[in-house]
Amino acid sequence: MKKSVVFLCMIISSAVLAQIPKSQKVKYSTIHQKICHNQKGFQLVLKSISSDSRCPEGVTCIWEGEVSGVVSVYKDSKLIENKILVFSMKNENENKEWFSKYLPKKQKNIKNYSVLPYPKEGVKINPSEYYVKIGYLK
């Protein structure tokens, strides 16, 4: 009886441990509102944020909201494209695909992205403070 209880505990613990996913290393890159004129290859620049309807911290909202903004793509310091992006859950995969076209090869496996700073109740965000943070798997 004692052996069967120990054996049962070993099986249960091994099944539980097998379900824990391995931690993945996530690295981050940011897209700011400045262009580096001497950079070779593609460069993404956050041109502007046209609307931010996200629910501020400390407030209860009916929907989570979204952010709209213009991201510019430069190649060898020459403008290639201006793209209006809507950052919301329903556009997440589409936006990840678009970003991965222009990011370096090691950053193409995008896990998440966010527009920061996140709004807080009663605090106005200066438009020049916005940036996009992209998390990718190493």
Side-chain angles (χ1 to χ4, degrees):
M1 179 71 176
K2 199 179 208 183
K3 288 183 181 180
S4 60
V5 170
V6 170
F7 181 70
L8 182 61
C9 287
M10 287 175 49
I11 289 178
I12 291 172
S13 65
S14 65
V16 169
L17 292 175
Q19 300 300 317
I20 298 172
K22 293 181 181 178
S23 65
Q24 298 175 328
K25 292 274 187 182
V26 178
K27 294 240 176 187
Y28 294 94
S29 66
T30 55
I31 300 172
H32 292 279
Q33 297 184 37
K34 299 175 193 168
I35 183 170
C36 180
H37 291 285
N38 297 327
Q39 184 171 336
K40 295 287 183 192
F42 289 110
Q43 182 180 11
L44 298 172
V45 176
L46 179 62
K47 271 292 202 224
S48 64
I49 296 294
S50 52
S51 70
D52 186 354
S53 64
R54 296 176 291 177
C55 185
E57 291 177 3
V59 176
T60 304
C61 299
I62 296 172
W63 73 306
E64 64 182 322
E66 61 189 26
V67 179
S68 295
V70 177
V71 178
S72 297
V73 180
Y74 291 85
K75 183 171 184 184
D76 301 331
S77 299
K78 293 180 183 171
L79 179 65
I80 301 296
E81 176 183 7
N82 281 323
K83 175 80 172 177
I84 298 172
L85 295 175
V86 177
F87 298 96
S88 68
M89 291 303 290
K90 64 183 176 184
N91 302 47
E92 186 174 18
N93 289 334
E94 179 184 322
N95 290 344
K96 284 180 182 180
E97 283 182 35
W98 188 84
F99 280 127
S100 67
K101 289 191 308 189
Y102 300 109
L103 290 172
K105 189 174 184 176
K106 66 180 182 177
Q107 297 177 3
K108 289 189 184 285
N109 192 5
I110 299 172
K111 181 162 177 69
N112 57 37
Y113 61 82
S114 56
V115 177
L116 298 171
Y118 197 84
K120 294 180 181 171
E121 182 181 16
V123 178
K124 183 163 174 57
I125 299 173
N126 184 337
S128 65
E129 293 176 352
Y130 281 105
Y131 65 96
V132 178
K133 183 177 179 181
I134 299 175
Y136 58 93
L137 297 176
K138 186 176 176 187

